[in-house]
Amino acid sequence: MYDVIVIGARCAGSPTAMLFAQQGYRVLLLEKAKFPQDTLSSHYLHMEGVALLNRWGLLEKIAESGAQPITRQSYTGPGVRVEGFSLPIDGLTTTYAPRRYVLDPILAEGAVAAGVDFQQGCAVNDLLWEDDRVVGVKYTTPGGAQATERARLVVGADGMRSLVARKVRAENVIEHPRLTCTYYSYWAGVPSHFELYERPGQWIGVLPTNDNLTLLMSYFPQQDYGQVRKSVEDFYLEAFRSTAPELYERMQEGERVEQLYGTGHQENYFRKAYGPGWVLVGDSVTHKDSITARGITEAFVQAQSLTDHIGANLHEDAALNSALRRYEDDLGGATLNHYQGALNVAELKPEGRVEMLQKLVGHQEHIDRYFSTLSGACSIDDFYNDELLTLLDQS
């Protein structure tokens, strides 16, 4: 019997398993895929996520993986351009946007190094129940055999379409309609920093990633998905030409080296986070539009929050329930703020954002603090301090 079984070994599952194992628990980590394997992603590790990787002893491996360091960010909208970067966290001043076939194995290796029993190529089919409590899992091994394992706590880190969430009937406690669809690819010969471009109905994201490639992402209104998917390449290229013409010129000097990837299924929700014998982390518990690229960082934050709250109390009923409740309460703080921020950006209506940023031009400290609200280095409340409010009122 295990203390904890974690289903899903990507950005939420592997760190959760690792942190539980470091607390002395016996942990089984089950993953359907066989690493390395790519997946849809916006790639970016915000400063808050970078700081956690550093705390976990994994940041050096990211830096050594060929992921290009990022130390500069810009936003260009109608009538405004600002440039700066996030404030440091724990003295760190560099971020990264690693490919998922690079990042996910590093996270899983970290779990294994902590003592986790990691099994790949395993398809979880069902949960075990006793007296209305989840007590384990049923799964198919890579060889096709049926297996059963039991645990004190089952962690669903199995994504937006979580089997765990479905089996425990975790209801959506917050839900909003889809707002955007996105398509992206990887380009060689397009030098970049972390670049954002916006006009009404259009958003562009640019990130340096592994192997000297650049990730070029385009976002469209959800209501245009049916039309966009019928002629993806035309819409994709036109988005860059019309929204970021200088970038488009750079693209003409480069080369797209992979197919276009994309989705129109960017759900926005919070689910009930826990119940008897189970808890959800990562996209299993909350998912939002990828336009602010907060998903990986949020998964890291949740893994740390969950394991910190439980600590040594996994086997004490009242203490465990209290810890799970505090973990769920945490989701209603900064996580909810970032969720609301993503939905605001995903409306693809830049007017209010542009008006505020125009007033920040020439005030670099406030520009950096603005970028820091997304990176996790500065809260929204701290950003809107008395000095900024006075500046906005005077402009």
Side-chain angles (χ1 to χ4, degrees):
M1 179 172 173
Y2 292 90
D3 296 304
V4 180
I5 296 174
V6 180
I7 302 173
R10 293 193 183 268
C11 296
S14 283
T16 300
M18 176 189 71
L19 293 168
F20 272 128
Q22 289 174 349
Q23 292 175 337
Y25 294 118
R26 186 165 183 250
V27 183
L28 173 63
L29 177 62
L30 298 173
E31 170 56 45
K32 185 176 182 179
K34 292 185 178 181
F35 291 163
Q37 187 179 94
D38 214 355
T39 188
L40 289 175
S41 179
S42 53
H43 297 59
Y44 190 57
L45 304 174
H46 285 279
M47 195 66 76
E48 187 176 20
V50 169
L52 285 171
L53 284 172
N54 187 57
R55 176 177 175 179
W56 301 338
L58 299 177
L59 181 58
E60 185 175 350
K61 291 186 177 181
I62 300 297
E64 294 173 348
S65 72
Q68 300 175 69
I70 300 171
T71 58
R72 175 181 164 213
Q73 182 175 355
S74 64
Y75 168 90
T76 303
V80 67
R81 175 182 169 84
V82 293
E83 186 173 316
F85 203 57
S86 169
L87 299 174
I89 297 180
D90 297 339
L92 299 166
T93 58
T94 301
T95 59
Y96 300 90
R99 295 288 295 264
R100 292 296 297 275
Y101 62 73
V102 172
L103 173 64
D104 294 349
I106 289 174
L107 298 175
E109 290 164 7
V112 171
V116 171
D117 180 1
F118 177 39
Q119 298 185 27
Q120 304 181 63
C122 296
V124 175
N125 308 310
D126 207 348
L127 304 179
L128 292 177
W129 295 82
E130 285 183 4
D131 300 323
D132 296 323
R133 180 185 182 88
V134 175
V135 295
V137 301
K138 300 177 182 179
Y139 65 98
T140 303
T141 69
Q146 301 303 303
T148 298
E149 294 291 353
R150 299 171 67 90
R152 170 69 169 166
L153 184 67
V154 172
V155 180
D158 48 342
M160 188 169 64
R161 298 173 180 84
S162 169
L163 176 138
V164 176
R166 186 168 70 251
K167 292 295 184 178
V168 301
R169 298 182 179 179
E171 296 182 351
N172 287 358
V173 294
I174 297 175
E175 187 174 9
H176 292 88
R178 302 170 188 168
L179 292 173
T180 75
C181 58
T182 182
Y183 283 92
Y184 66 87
S185 191
Y186 305 92
W187 291 67
V190 183
S192 68
H193 54 280
F194 182 9
E195 304 173 42
L196 300 172
Y197 300 85
E198 184 178 22
R199 66 180 178 87
Q202 190 73 68
W203 180 274
I204 297 291
V206 183
L207 284 163
T209 184
N210 290 83
D211 304 319
N212 290 317
L213 298 180
T214 298
L215 170 68
L216 296 172
M217 303 190 74
S218 58
Y219 285 81
F220 307 88
Q222 172 66 30
Q223 61 264 30
D224 294 346
Y225 178 51
Q227 185 179 6
V228 172
R229 67 187 301 193
K230 293 177 182 177
S231 187
V232 173
E233 186 156 4
D234 290 342
F235 276 93
Y236 176 79
L237 292 175
E238 175 58 23
F240 288 92
R241 189 196 66 78
S242 60
T243 307
E246 184 276 330
L247 171 61
Y248 183 74
E249 291 181 7
R250 272 184 277 156
M251 293 166 66
Q252 306 314 299
E253 301 298 320
E255 176 188 12
R256 179 162 65 86
V257 297
E258 292 190 29
Q259 69 181 64
L260 284 162
Y261 306 94
T263 180
H265 300 281
Q266 301 211 89
E267 312 298 342
N268 300 299
Y269 61 79
F270 278 77
R271 290 180 175 133
K272 174 64 181 174
Y274 74 96
W278 62 271
V279 65
L280 304 176
V281 294
D283 288 350
S284 298
V285 70
T286 178
H287 187 277
K288 56 187 172 296
D289 197 290
S290 65
I291 199 164
T292 54
R294 280 286 308 184
I296 298 173
T297 299
E298 293 292 339
F300 291 177
V301 170
Q302 291 161 26
Q304 189 70 62
S305 171
L306 174 64
T307 54
D308 281 350
H309 281 307
I310 291 177
N313 297 317
L314 181 65
H315 293 282
E316 301 175 17
D317 286 345
L320 175 60
N321 191 66
S322 177
L324 293 174
R325 184 174 61 252
R326 293 195 302 275
Y327 162 69
E328 185 176 65
D329 289 344
D330 278 357
L331 295 174
T335 302
L336 180 58
N337 288 338
H338 284 298
Y339 173 89
Q340 293 167 332
L343 266 58
N344 177 269
V345 175
E347 290 180 353
L348 303 179
K349 297 177 180 178
E351 293 81 6
R353 191 162 31 257
V354 163
E355 180 181 359
M356 181 190 69
L357 290 174
Q358 286 173 334
K359 296 177 181 180
L360 299 190
V361 172
H363 301 274
Q364 192 60 49
E365 177 185 355
H366 293 304
I367 293 171
D368 290 341
R369 288 168 60 84
Y370 171 76
F371 287 136
S372 299
T373 62
L374 192 57
S375 77
C378 179
S379 71
I380 292 292
D381 288 342
D382 288 340
F383 173 64
Y384 284 102
N385 59 20
D386 291 342
E387 182 180 349
L388 176 65
L389 293 174
T390 299
L391 172 64
L392 296 178
D393 287 341
Q394 291 174 347
S395 302

